[in-house]
Every structure is written in structure tokens, then in C-alpha cells.
Amino acid sequence: MNDEASTDLREAVRSRYAEAARAVLDPKPGVTAQSVELAGTGSCCGSSATDSCCGTGSAAAVGGFSEHLYREGETDGLPEEAVLASLGCGNPIAVADLHEGERVLDLGSGGGIDVLLSARRVGPSGFAYGVDMTDDMLTLARANAAKAGAANVEFRKGEIEALPLPDASVDVVISNCVINLSTDKPAVLAEMFRVLVPGGRIGITDVVAEDYLSAADRAAAGSYVGCIAGALSRTEYLDGLASVGFTGASVTFTNEAAPGMYSAIIRAVKPVR
């Protein structure tokens, strides 16, 4: 992908998610963050049980995918706006195995739901960072953190290909259906490795393709902004993680988003040297 195409796609993603944030910040009848995302052909958050990796048809009908992604009661007490802005394809909190006192980083933190949930898990002695490139999402996330009274969170503006954190500064990296949107995934994987402490780990959810699907097949299955065309295959993911130094990597398919395309759980560890 040339630089111009990469820039165009990044701006398309930024524009889509800025619009989704504004749907929550300035609500209008019949417009939700989910409906904005669904406006793209082939969204990973489809509108029916057969084409969605993010929820069921009933979830789409009420505009709340998060109630199906998160465990019962898990989002209780969070600002409604954080839940309404949830656009992920899974629940990284459920797979990251967070512990008291850990420092967590959420890539593409959006309205802040996973940062706020992480902050609860790691407690006052821990800390949760969110990085997002969209000003409107950062505004929404910071407002949600203030409403939640969360003192151990910080949202930083930046791109996940060049994270605004120092080396070896976090214990865990999470992400929820965001890495597939990047136009430079090797840079994202390398940045995750860089900011993790030795022994740190990733616990992310993303859209991943079966190995038999070529890049052309993925492009035909749906749009880039809609999470489909940009997805890595399972082998590409595993090879990419290994190439930057991760060990113990695994990719576990969960819900089918499109034929041969799945919401998946990705885990890996930065070795202790």
C-alpha cells in the first residue's frame, strides 16, 4: 500500500469514528454510534446474527452491542455514554487476565469502555492508558472518565503505529477490533512489543481471516473501514508477532463475521531476557 492510499484509509477511519463519537456526544433521533459504523459496507459489527462478530440482531435493534460482549453486570456503574460508544468485536478484559497494580494500555480506546473496565480490575495501585487518534473520541472518553470518577486513567492522542508511551512502560496491552484497521500492522505489533515490560503480555480481540483467504478475497468480503478488508490471516498474525519478538502466541477464533473471517482472541508474551 502506497503512502497516499494509507493516508486516505487512515483519514476514512478517523472520520468514521469521529462521527460515531459525535452520535454519542450530541445525540440525534435514530442515530447511534453503532448505526454510524454500520453505514460502511461489510462492517465487522453487522446488523444481523449471521453477519456480525460484535453481537446479535437483537443487540443491533436496541443499538447496544456491548451488552452481548461484556459479562452480565460487568458494565454496571459505567457512564451510559461509554457503553453506547462501544464498537468492538469482543471483550479483551475477559482474556487479558488483569491483576491488581498492573499498568494497562488500550489501543484505539474509543469512548473508553475498556480503559474504565481495566482501571477497575487493576485498582488504585494500577493504571490504565488509552490511545486514540480521534479528537472526538478522546473528548468523549475523558468525559466518561470524569463521570466515572476514575483517577487511575489517562487518554492520550496518538496513532497505534507510533504509541505516545516510553519503552517498557506497561504490563499489558489490550485492543478491541482496532488493529485490523491499521494500514501498517507490522509497526503496531512492534510498538506493542516496545512499550511492554519484559514478561508483559497482550490480550486483544480483532478480526482475523482463515489462511485460505487471500488479500483479494478479504477485500471482496467487505470494506477496510468496516474491519474486514484489512484483517490479517491467522498465520500472518502469528508470524508477525514472532517477527517482532513475541513468544507463546495464539489466535483463537470465536464468532464468524463473514465467510472465513472471525472475531478472534490473540495472546502473546514478551519474553524476559
Side-chain angles (χ1 to χ4, degrees), residues 29-156:
V31 179
T32 66
Q34 287 78 19
S35 71
V36 169
E37 191 184 36
L38 286 170
T41 302
S43 169
C44 76
C45 293
S47 58
S48 73
T50 58
D51 67 0
S52 172
C53 68
C54 301
T56 66
S58 60
V62 299
F65 295 103
S66 60
E67 64 185 299
H68 290 262
L69 298 179
Y70 298 93
R71 296 166 179 162
E72 184 176 356
E74 192 168 18
T75 62
D76 289 355
L78 291 186
E80 182 184 14
E81 292 84 355
V83 179
L84 290 174
S86 177
L87 297 170
C89 62
N91 181 356
I93 309 303
V95 303
D97 190 27
L98 301 179
H99 302 287
E100 185 85 18
E102 289 188 316
R103 298 159 296 171
V104 186
L105 168 63
D106 182 19
L107 306 188
S109 48
I113 187 170
D114 292 323
V115 172
L116 295 176
L117 289 173
S118 295
R120 282 183 177 178
R121 291 285 185 94
V122 301
S125 61
F127 204 86
Y129 296 95
V131 169
D132 204 282
M133 68 176 181
T134 307
D135 288 326
D136 294 280
M137 278 297 186
L138 289 166
T139 296
L140 176 60
R142 288 164 181 158
N144 286 332
K147 289 178 181 177
N152 59 336
V153 305
E154 182 183 346
F155 293 95
R156 297 185 178 184

Side-chain angles (χ1 to χ4, degrees), residues 13 16 23-24 32 42 52 93 95 132 140 152 164 174 198 200 207 212 220 235 243 264 268:
V13 170
R16 174 67 57 79
V24 178
T32 66
S52 172
I93 309 303
V95 303
D132 204 282
L140 176 60
N152 59 336
I174 64 173
V207 175
Y212 72 83
T235 295
S243 71

Side-chain angles (χ1 to χ4, degrees), residues 9 12 18 24 29 45 51 81 107 113 123 140 142 147 157 159 167 183 198 206 210 236 252 269:
L9 280 171
V24 178
C45 293
D51 67 0
E81 292 84 355
L107 306 188
I113 187 170
L140 176 60
R142 288 164 181 158
K147 289 178 181 177
K157 184 175 182 180
E159 296 175 353
D167 296 354
T183 57
D206 206 5
E210 291 197 44
E236 287 169 345
T252 304
V269 175

